[in-house]
Amino acid sequence: MSLVDAVTEAFAELAGRPPEGVWRAPGRVNLIGEHTDYNDGFVLPVAINRSVVVAAARRDDGVLRCWSSRDRSEPVSHPVAEVGPGTSSGWSAYVEGTAWALRELGVPVPGADVVVHADLPAGAGLSSSAALEAAVALALSDLAGSTVDRVALALAGQRAETEVVGMPCGIMDQMAVLLGRAGHAVFLDTRTRMTELVPFDPAAAGLTLLVIDTRVKHALVGSPYAERRRACERAAAALGVPALRDATIDDLEAGRASGALDEVTFRRARHVVTENDRVLEAVDLLRRGALTSIGPALAGSHRSLRDDYEVSCPELDVAVDAAVTGGAVGARMTGGGFGGSALALTPVDAVDRVTETVTKAFAEAGFGPPAVFAVSIAGGAERVSG
Ligand code: GLA
């Protein structure tokens, strides 16, 4: 059964009436540009063909009720005027937080029944949170008859996540899932929010984009993510720049020599500064259609995240090394890290070998089996029925 049929059926069963519409938002794989988005830097994500779908219909009593198709027990139910920071928790905080952030924008969010369903694994580093926020943001603004632009919807999702869920994320994921386009990567300057859709068609280059889900669950709320972010802010302040986007390697070296940056802060900052360069390099290669040449940039990104930023984990390192041994032209961890997924850009005829090599390496290391699957580059969030 399709995702849309499944969520429509679940809605009828749980809410006892048909939905007014169904909205879909994709997950994302970030090709390169990790932990740069809260430093005013560059990122290059793609939206993928794994999604969160939301079926919804208005209620006239101002109550927001939400169900997950996985857990068909009682809905989480609160007056929409009362949801927001400090009042929402658990998975429904993403839904209620988004409703709150839209209201803060002046969108007259109505009461609604909302049912959530997905084929995008949660906690796998593929932005299931941003996908849920984006699908809900589109659904509720449509039901409110409002036409908020996509950048504003992305910012509302980020605000929900930061202020209601408690994860101080950047803007990459929300922008990727709202602005992605099939066959393209989203080159985003997180300072200006300028985006450029850069052609990214692995199949045309004889490649497949593989995701290796380590199945190590990362919980970025309350994780070292916030600590990394603070280290970057400390480094920028010590160097007297608005954000690490504005620093050069020479600035960092000078800061280390003068004692303004301690060794760890220096390495955190070096990751960000070198990663921004690698994004620009990858964008340049993609613009020239040289997809198969981005391997070294991907490898450099992974090394930097592992050694300087220290957000990888043994499972991600094994996944990346084994993918390259199996024949991938490039591989690296993708997303926040501390578990989650790696990407492996793989020649079509090496897909089986990469999958086997990774699976075997996990078994030999004593890790649980990973999930290895191909993804295609999909479009951004949209209304899919109703
Ligand atoms: C998470 C955050 C993003 C970004 C990445 C790391 O996915 O939600 O904003 O910071 O980590 O690049």
Side-chain angles (χ1 to χ4, degrees):
M1 194 190 313
S2 77
L3 275 187
V4 175
D5 290 348
V7 80
T8 304
E9 222 175 272
F11 188 97
E13 181 194 317
L14 294 164
R17 58 189 173 128
E20 286 182 60
V22 176
W23 292 260
R24 177 195 74 84
R28 66 96 188 91
V29 165
N30 186 22
L31 295 179
I32 195 159
E34 219 64 84
H35 290 276
T36 49
D37 67 345
Y38 49 84
N39 291 294
D40 279 1
F42 305 113
V43 294
L44 188 64
V46 294
I48 59 172
N49 61 332
R50 295 282 192 121
S51 311
V52 171
V53 287
V54 159
R58 280 168 288 189
R59 297 173 60 86
D60 55 19
D61 61 359
V63 171
L64 181 61
R65 296 199 298 173
C66 38
W67 290 264
S68 150
S69 67
R70 285 203 200 104
D71 167 16
R72 299 187 176 215
S73 54
E74 286 302 293
V76 180
S77 180
H78 292 113
V80 72
E82 289 172 18
V83 298
T87 63
S88 303
S89 61
W91 74 270
S92 61
Y94 296 94
V95 179
E96 296 182 346
T98 301
W100 166 78
L102 288 176
R103 281 170 57 87
E104 290 279 299
L105 268 181
V107 176
V109 177
D113 286 333
V114 172
V115 175
V116 177
H117 183 61
D119 68 356
L120 175 67
L126 302 174
S127 279
S128 57
S129 314
L132 178 52
E133 291 150 12
V136 167
L138 263 191
L140 293 181
S141 62
D142 266 10
L143 291 179
S146 149
T147 50
V148 182
D149 71 60
R150 285 185 174 235
V151 175
L153 292 180
L155 288 166
Q158 184 197 25
R159 198 159 173 213
E161 193 146 344
T162 305
E163 295 184 44
V164 179
V165 177
M167 153 65 182
C169 62
I171 193 64
M172 164 170 74
D173 301 345
Q174 291 78 7
M175 291 287 275
V177 307
L178 278 153
L179 297 173
R181 170 145 356 135
H184 292 77
V186 183
F187 172 41
L188 165 66
D189 177 340
T190 62
R191 169 169 278 165
T192 61
R193 301 199 193 107
M194 180 286 302
T195 55
E196 176 190 336
L197 292 166
V198 185
F200 181 75
D201 185 357
L207 299 171
T208 299
L209 182 60
L210 287 183
V211 167
I212 304 163
D213 175 4
T214 64
R215 292 206 165 111
V216 178
K217 292 288 174 207
H218 68 170
L220 294 182
V221 180
S223 77
Y225 183 95
E227 190 277 319
R228 295 296 184 284
R229 199 176 165 145
R230 281 195 300 274
C232 291
E233 285 158 10
R234 250 191 346 263
L239 297 171
V241 291
L244 284 180
R245 154 74 172 275
D246 305 298
T248 64
I249 285 292
D250 288 348
D251 296 335
L252 303 188
E253 297 286 1
R256 175 162 68 171
S258 72
L261 297 180
D262 61 52
E263 186 58 31
V264 170
T265 312
F266 169 80
R267 285 194 287 112
R268 302 290 187 257
R270 179 166 63 184
H271 163 70
V272 175
V273 171
T274 57
E275 184 78 351
N276 277 328
D277 288 345
R278 284 185 289 268
V279 177
L280 298 179
E281 182 191 331
V283 168
D284 191 46
L285 290 168
L286 292 190
R287 282 194 192 120
R288 294 194 272 124
L291 197 60
T292 45
S293 305
I294 69 171
L298 300 182
S301 173
H302 189 77
R303 267 197 308 275
S304 178
L305 288 157
R306 184 191 63 199
D307 301 339
D308 273 357
Y309 218 60
E310 296 183 273
V311 292
S312 187
C313 63
E315 291 84 353
L316 284 169
D317 295 341
V318 166
V320 166
D321 289 346
V324 172
T325 304
V329 302
R332 62 173 212 89
M333 56 160 276
T334 186
F338 311 106
S341 297
L343 69 85
L345 200 54
T346 304
V348 173
D349 60 10
V351 166
D352 290 346
R353 204 164 60 240
V354 166
T355 307
E356 280 158 27
T357 310
V358 169
T359 307
K360 199 157 153 252
F362 266 56
E364 278 167 6
F367 304 151
V372 185
F373 51 92
V375 292
S376 60
I377 316 307
E382 61 185 344
R383 186 171 190 152
V384 282
S385 93

